[in-house]
Amino acid sequence: MIKDFKIETYLLQELSSEQAFHYRVIPVENENGILKLKSDKITSSLKQELQIILNKDVELIEDTSNNIEQYLSTNFRLRNTNQTEDLHYSTDFLEKILLSAKDIGSSDIHFEPYEYKCRVRFRLDGKLKEQYIISLQEYPVIVNKLKIKAGLDISEKRLPQDGRITIQTNTDEFDIRVSSLPTLHGEKIVLRILSKDANHIKLDDLGFSFSELTAYKEAVKNPNGIILISGPTGSGKTTTLYATLKLLNDNERNILTIEDPIEYTLEGINQVQLKENIGLDFTSTLRTFLRQDPDIIMVGEIRDAKTANMAIRAALTGHLVLSTIHTNSAWATISRLIDMGIPSFLIASTLNISVAQRLVRKLCNSCKKEAHVDTDLFPSNFEIPKDLKTHYIPTGCNSCYHTGYQGRKAIYEIIPITKTLVNHIKQNDLEIDNYISEQNIATLKSNAISLIKNGTTSIDEVYSLLTD
């Protein structure tokens, strides 16, 4: 029987990750004002010190070093930075949440009210994990503090609101996008952590294969046309766009962007924040951009026909346009534009390349295990490649916090628009399966299979990409 090392969230709040690792103690029960902690070294001095630090009665229970180690790595995460002391700029609970989320690499923070409690969850490597429990009495205070910091109306609790917070510490500066949503039991707040510095982003490091990177760089070096990147929310589209802008950014080009929100800042690029409540939307801003003598325009997202038409118009008049769109594959982008009412001959004459991407979690190299392939692991309509005999499965260890995964990798599907495809688009012939196989174009599905074969990721992680 496998021992369960998970600890309830309300107990995890009793001490910080730093305290747990420093004293090697694990909270297991808190009743009648006595906090019971597991430890592999029980001494009277340890008990006294913990009682002073935690300001409550403590009872120590002995456990093995191996068990304590697994409890720690499963339930607590240490900060990524080595300068933790510089980040404690406030003892306020809210600041503690924001900074700890940033330091352990979380992308989003969810504050959620329910009937009897409120919880805080962090999104880590694409998955949500419960971090804190907040009482119903404390929750409105935290919501109001967040709304004040983000410049929102604290008296308005019936309508959704959006705002932004800038956090500055001695070692870092980052922005947080704030979104409030009225729910049955109160306002749900979601914070998206935005890193302001894009200097560390490079196209070569994102996950392109050599042939994919070559094709993509050729397309973006054209002086005009459209580069479209598709994928669901959180698939890394914006990061790919910024890496592209960084490659193209020089003193000879005028680069303009319209974004919602501005996720990174790049020196030498003119970035505009979308403000639809005052009429500053994608369409009107793009119209103004064309009078600003641009060379390259980046549109955060093509959401409607008006924005798509303006992007096409900008590309036709000699500008390079980069944007994102929500579709399931690179080729589905064309049918999406046609559905929006864009004439197929305009798409054919302006689209340079269509890219689809996803982010998949990478298996932890320290603990992944090889296993035989079983047909039950795959979708029913999936034809298992003959050379796929084994695969790797996640198990969990100290280095991956017992998740079985460590880090994420982008996978791409890249379709350069050749003369053959231009004819297909003009004739509204969107069946190109034969062309893709003849040209050996790697699809999201084939790239996912490659990652399974080489042990980079698991079947579960790319399951949705294996269905036709």
Side-chain angles (χ1 to χ4, degrees), residues 313-383:
R313 179 181 161 190
L316 283 172
T317 52
H319 306 96
L320 182 65
V321 180
L322 291 81
S323 190
T324 68
I325 191 167
H326 286 284
T327 59
N328 291 328
S329 67
W331 191 243
T333 297
I334 285 88
S335 56
R336 177 87 175 94
L337 290 171
I338 291 171
D339 290 344
M340 284 182 173
I342 309 299
S344 55
F345 70 90
L346 285 182
I347 300 169
S349 57
T350 54
L351 189 61
N352 292 351
I353 195 168
S354 183
V355 179
Q357 75 175 85
R358 299 289 190 278
L359 280 179
V360 297
R361 292 186 296 168
K362 295 190 294 183
L363 285 165
C364 174
N365 288 323
S366 302
C367 65
K368 65 182 181 184
K369 286 186 178 177
E370 197 169 7
H372 288 289
V373 166
D374 188 341
T375 53
D376 293 341
L377 299 170
F378 295 93
S380 57
N381 60 354
F382 178 74
E383 188 177 337

Side-chain angles (χ1 to χ4, degrees), residues 75-197:
N75 297 281
F76 296 97
R77 290 202 177 202
L78 286 172
R79 298 172 186 269
N80 292 335
T81 176
N82 293 323
Q83 297 174 309
T84 53
E85 67 279 2
D86 293 331
L87 291 176
H88 294 297
Y89 73 99
S90 171
T91 55
D92 184 81
F93 178 65
L94 180 58
E95 269 85 32
K96 175 189 169 188
I97 291 175
L98 300 181
L99 289 174
S100 63
K102 175 70 166 60
D103 292 338
I104 65 174
S106 171
S107 61
D108 300 86
I109 311 170
H110 291 239
F111 292 81
E112 302 166 314
Y114 296 101
E115 188 174 1
Y116 301 111
K117 66 175 184 179
C118 306
R119 68 177 176 179
V120 180
R121 293 191 291 173
F122 290 177
R123 189 174 291 280
L124 297 159
D125 288 337
K127 304 291 181 182
L128 283 169
K129 186 175 187 298
E130 193 173 275
Q131 295 289 122
Y132 299 99
I133 297 293
I134 302 171
S135 70
L136 290 172
Q137 292 75 30
E138 291 175 326
Y139 187 72
V141 177
I142 289 175
V143 168
N144 284 341
K145 282 186 177 180
L146 278 170
K147 292 174 81 171
I148 290 168
K149 284 177 180 289
L152 305 182
D153 182 359
I154 61 171
S155 65
E156 181 55 80
K157 302 180 188 297
R158 301 162 301 165
L159 294 172
Q161 296 186 72
D162 293 294
R164 200 177 181 96
I165 300 171
T166 298
I167 302 289
Q168 285 184 311
T169 70
N170 294 341
T171 58
D172 201 3
E173 180 180 351
F174 58 96
D175 281 353
I176 295 173
R177 186 180 69 191
V178 181
S179 173
S180 74
L181 176 72
T183 66
L184 178 63
H185 298 293
E187 290 180 278
K188 172 179 165 66
I189 307 283
V190 175
L191 311 181
R192 165 63 60 89
I193 299 172
L194 311 170
S195 177
K196 296 187 78 171
D197 182 19

Side-chain angles (χ1 to χ4, degrees), residues 380-440:
S380 57
N381 60 354
F382 178 74
E383 188 177 337
I384 302 172
K386 291 179 180 178
D387 59 343
L388 184 59
K389 304 294 184 185
T390 61
H391 68 111
Y392 285 85
I393 56 174
T395 54
C397 65
N398 291 348
S399 59
C400 64
Y401 305 102
H402 290 273
T403 62
Y405 297 92
Q406 200 166 42
R408 289 192 289 177
K409 173 185 173 62
I411 59 172
Y412 292 90
E413 177 178 297
I414 293 182
I415 301 181
I417 307 302
T418 60
K419 288 182 180 178
T420 304
L421 291 184
V422 164
N423 291 329
H424 274 279
I425 296 169
K426 284 181 178 177
Q427 294 165 15
N428 274 355
D429 177 15
L430 301 184
E431 291 295 327
I432 62 160
D433 289 350
N434 292 335
Y435 174 85
I436 285 176
S437 58
E438 287 168 8
Q439 299 296 315
N440 290 322

